[in-house]
Amino acid sequence: MNRPLSLTLPFNPGLDAVAVSEIAGALEKCGARISVDSLNWPSEFPYRPLTVVTAAHSGTAIYLEFLVRCNYLRAENYCDNAHVSEDSCVEFFVAPRKDAKEEYFSIGINCIGTVRATHHRADGSARLLGTDELTKLRRYASVGTKPFREVEGSFIWSVSVVVPLSLLGLEYNGDSLQMWGNFNKCAAKTSQPHYLSWAPIKSEAPDFHRPESFAEITLE
């Protein structure tokens, strides 16, 4: 698909006053929208559920709204830092420093708002974010927060997440901030497993941890 592989997040300081449950409506008016539709491993994983991300920033946080339409819905992981990628899941990978793609954060959130967040360091080591850090990631899930086994049907669901810039080690002073990142959609243990991304990924098997494939993201 022909499209520019870059994203500019509009600046809207009023977002900080919006309740997390109302973020979707606020971003509808001020956010930038992209599709997560790169089918990187089509032979083995051909399913492509509709996935759209709408994003903006307030100067203190990045605001994201993921909207998904799919045939199977699964949410068995209900404790933060569990393996949410097994469920109906969306992800935001971001390298805050423009000059160092290898140091990045991976933030995955399933359809009931359970989150798994990891800080990946340039030396190859990684650590899961602690409870105090995870509580700073405000989230809202349209289907609620109770876990459930896989169900089949036609579903439209969304999750909103607020990522504080301070959690990423960033401070916004009015000048544009440039970073690298990707948005992903996965569901490893559903009846239609899939692995989609915004920026295309080149690897033999599904692997979102490819910072060399990250695209440019700019905070306006």
Side-chain angles (χ1 to χ4, degrees), residues 6 9-10 56 71 73 81 98 181 202 207-208 212 216 220:
S6 63
L9 274 57
N71 297 329
L73 202 59
N81 278 338
K98 184 174 171 58
K202 294 182 179 180
D207 182 5
F208 293 139
E212 69 273 14
E216 190 172 71
E220 184 182 69

Side-chain angles (χ1 to χ4, degrees), residues 26-181:
L27 289 176
E28 184 70 25
K29 299 175 182 178
C30 71
R33 181 173 297 175
I34 59 167
S35 293
V36 181
D37 57 6
S38 291
L39 201 62
N40 302 295
W41 304 279
S43 297
E44 189 174 1
F45 301 102
Y47 181 52
R48 182 189 285 164
L50 174 70
T51 306
V52 176
V53 183
T54 308
H57 82 99
S58 66
T60 64
I62 295 172
Y63 286 74
L64 304 172
E65 171 75 7
F66 293 84
L67 178 68
V68 180
R69 185 173 68 197
C70 63
N71 297 329
Y72 291 89
L73 202 59
R74 181 187 194 269
E76 295 195 19
N77 291 282
Y78 56 90
C79 295
D80 282 348
N81 278 338
H83 294 287
V84 295
S85 61
E86 299 172 347
D87 295 331
S88 301
C89 177
V90 291
E91 297 181 332
F92 175 45
F93 281 31
V94 58
R97 292 174 52 197
K98 184 174 171 58
D99 60 345
K101 286 186 182 181
E102 294 76 15
E103 182 174 350
Y104 64 96
F105 292 82
S106 59
I107 301 170
I109 183 169
N110 69 8
C111 61
I112 60 170
T114 307
V115 70
R116 181 182 177 90
T118 307
H119 180 197
H120 305 264
R121 301 184 180 92
D123 62 6
S125 63
R127 72 169 183 90
L128 289 169
L129 269 60
T131 302
D132 290 345
E133 294 169 300
L134 293 175
T135 56
K136 297 177 183 178
L137 293 168
R138 293 195 291 141
R139 337 135 202 184
Y140 173 78
S142 65
V143 301
T145 58
K146 293 182 178 180
F148 53 86
R149 294 183 178 179
E150 182 183 78
V151 290
E152 181 181 1
S154 180
F155 305 100
I156 296 177
W157 58 275
S158 65
V159 292
S160 304
V161 60
V162 182
V163 183
L165 295 183
S166 59
L167 192 65
L168 306 177
L170 294 174
E171 183 176 352
Y172 181 75
N173 60 12
D175 296 326
S176 64
L177 286 175
Q178 292 183 316
M179 57 193 73
W180 300 98

